[in-house]
Amino acid sequence: KEMFAGLLFYGINRKKEPPHLFPFYIAQRRPLTRGHISLSSSDFNDPPFVDDGWSKKYEDLSTNAKHDLETIVDAVQDTLIGVIKNTSFMERMGYDPSDNRTVVFSEQIKQVLMLVGSSVQDLEQCSFSSIAFEQNTKCTSWDDCVPTFPQLPIDRDELRAVVFDLMGSSFHMSGTCKAGDVVEKETLAVKGVQGLYISDLSVLSQPADMHPMMTAMSLGIVIGNSTLSVPSGSHETFP
C-alpha cells in the first residue's frame, strides 16, 4: 500500500491509454509565518517542543499565517486551476479534447476520479484520504471545480477551505543559534565559551530559500577554516 501511494502521488502513468496521472507539489519558498522551538527537558536526548506557527483553526491563525495561506491559494489557482482549465494540458494527458470544460465532467474523467478515489480511500497510511475522498464526491462540473484529486473548487472561499484542510508544514530546522546572537558571524564560535563551535543550520538567521544542503556544506567549510589554528587536544567534536 505504501508503494502504491508513492506511485499514485509521485509517479506518472506512462501507458499509451488514459488514465494518465500527473503529480503537482506546491510549496511556499519564503513564508512569513514563524514558529518557535524550546527544550522539553534538561536531557539533550529528549526531542524539543516545536511549534510551526500554524493552527488547525482558521480563526486562530496569525496575520502572517493568513498571508501565507492566501499566497498558496493564489498559487493553486494560477498553477493548477488556470493551467487545467485554460490550456491543452488535459488533451496532452490523453483525455478527450471534445470536452469544452463548461459542462459536467465527461464519463472518462468521472471514471478516472472514481478509480483514484476508491484506491486512495483504502490507504490507511494516507492521512487525508478520507477528506479527499469525501470532497471528491461533491463536484462533477467544470463550472464548479477542476477534475483533480482532491478536487479544487473554482470559488475562492471554497478553495481556501480545501487548501487549508490538506496543507501541511515541511521545513528544515534552523535558526536556534543565530549567527550574531549566539555565535560569532565570522567564525561560528559560541560567544563566551572558548573552543565551542556550531556548524549546522541552527546558525542561520533566516530560513534558506531552497533546499539547505549546500548551505550546510558551506557552513562546514567555514567551521573548518575557523578551527585550523585550534590545537586538536584543546577541543572535541560532538556528536
Side-chain angles (χ1 to χ4, degrees), residues 179 183-189 197-199 203 214-228:
V183 300
E184 300 291 348
K185 289 184 177 181
E186 295 78 13
T187 63
L188 303 184
Y197 297 79
I198 298 177
S199 60
V203 302
M214 294 300 294
T215 304
M217 294 171 66
S218 300
L219 290 172
I221 296 176
V222 173
I223 201 72
N225 293 334
S226 299
T227 57
L228 285 177

Side-chain angles (χ1 to χ4, degrees), residues 8-9 116-136 149-150 166:
L8 179 62
F9 289 107
V116 176
S118 59
S119 300
V120 173
Q121 191 182 32
D122 294 333
L123 297 177
E124 296 179 358
Q125 296 88 349
C126 183
S127 60
F128 67 89
S129 60
S130 59
I131 299 175
F133 182 82
E134 179 183 357
Q135 191 265 336
N136 261 58
F149 192 91
L166 298 178

